[in-house]
Amino acid sequence: MNENLFASFITPTMMGLPIVTLVVMFPSMLFPTPARLINNRLISFQHWLIRLTSKQMMTIHNYKGQTWSLMLMSLIMFIGATNLLGLLPHSFTPTTQLSMNLGMAVPLWAGTVVTGFRNKTKASLAHFLPQGTPTPLIPMLVIIETISLFIQPVALAVRLTANITAGHLLMHLIGGATLALMNISTLTALLTFVVLVLLTILEFAVAMIQAYVFTLLVSLYLHDNT
């Protein structure tokens, strides 16, 4: 195992050129377009899962919000597939890069804010100043609400980055400890390996949950602005 804890987070290169674009495009190949009249079980399961997630996430939206359904479903599929592929050995997880997560969070957040100012201008401006605010506190509250608004995309990106990175680092550390303990105590190494297996199962769940949380928060931002 590589002793450098952060080696798996370095952008992969081939012949000195970054291939992160190919890595990002790869998850789209996992969702093929069916060409048959009757789908197989895998395609049917994918369609059922997409319909279930879409129904749960888009129920709260009006007609204008539901026009985002395709984008939100594509987002959750991309993040989920990327997170799961990152759990494979010697693989690269793009969602551990804060720059990429900001690249997803900022445009989506900006789109929801712009939509809110176009469709609900008065209501969007009213968020900066709660009703009944004392006059001396008005400047401070406007500043606080403005800062909280601009922190939303940063919180989205940092939450996804921190959760995925922490899980990968913990798996790396426990895997290294398991290898080191094999020559010292077989029983201890076996117990550590069991912990590693349980942690890997947990990381599979975290990969899907973080994709759902990221998309759900974008959906809630959209709901507040439509």
Side-chain angles (χ1 to χ4, degrees), residues 25-157:
M25 293 174 60
F26 180 72
S28 61
M29 302 177 186
L30 300 178
F31 302 98
T33 302
R36 298 180 180 179
L37 183 61
I38 301 178
N39 298 325
N40 57 29
R41 294 180 180 179
L42 177 60
I43 300 297
S44 299
F45 176 74
Q46 289 179 357
H47 288 178
W48 172 81
L49 191 60
I50 291 172
R51 285 196 300 268
L52 178 64
T53 307
S54 177
K55 183 178 180 181
Q56 291 180 349
M57 194 170 295
M58 306 308 297
T59 302
I60 61 175
H61 291 281
N62 55 20
Y63 175 76
K64 292 181 180 178
Q66 290 177 358
T67 58
W68 285 54
S69 58
L70 180 59
M71 182 182 296
L72 294 178
M73 289 303 101
S74 300
L75 179 66
I76 191 172
M77 291 169 60
F78 170 74
I79 298 177
T82 303
N83 291 345
L84 291 176
L85 289 174
L87 295 175
L88 297 176
H90 304 289
S91 61
F92 172 73
T93 312
T95 48
T96 58
Q97 307 296 314
L98 183 60
S99 57
M100 175 178 169
N101 295 336
L102 282 173
M104 292 189 296
V106 172
L108 292 170
W109 166 83
T112 61
V113 172
V114 171
T115 301
F117 277 102
R118 288 183 59 187
N119 299 327
K120 299 168 56 177
T121 306
K122 293 183 179 180
S124 298
L125 292 175
H127 285 298
F128 293 96
L129 187 62
Q131 187 176 5
T133 303
T135 304
L137 296 180
I138 289 178
M140 184 180 299
L141 281 180
V142 171
I143 295 174
I144 292 174
E145 292 297 328
T146 303
I147 293 174
S148 66
L149 178 65
F150 283 96
I151 281 179
Q152 289 178 354
V154 179
L156 272 178

Side-chain angles (χ1 to χ4, degrees), residues 197-219:
V197 172
L198 295 177
L199 180 62
T200 304
I201 297 174
L202 177 63
E203 283 303 309
F204 273 97
V206 169
M208 299 305 298
I209 290 172
Q210 287 304 315
Y212 182 77
V213 168
F214 188 97
T215 310
L216 179 62
L217 289 175
V218 174
S219 176

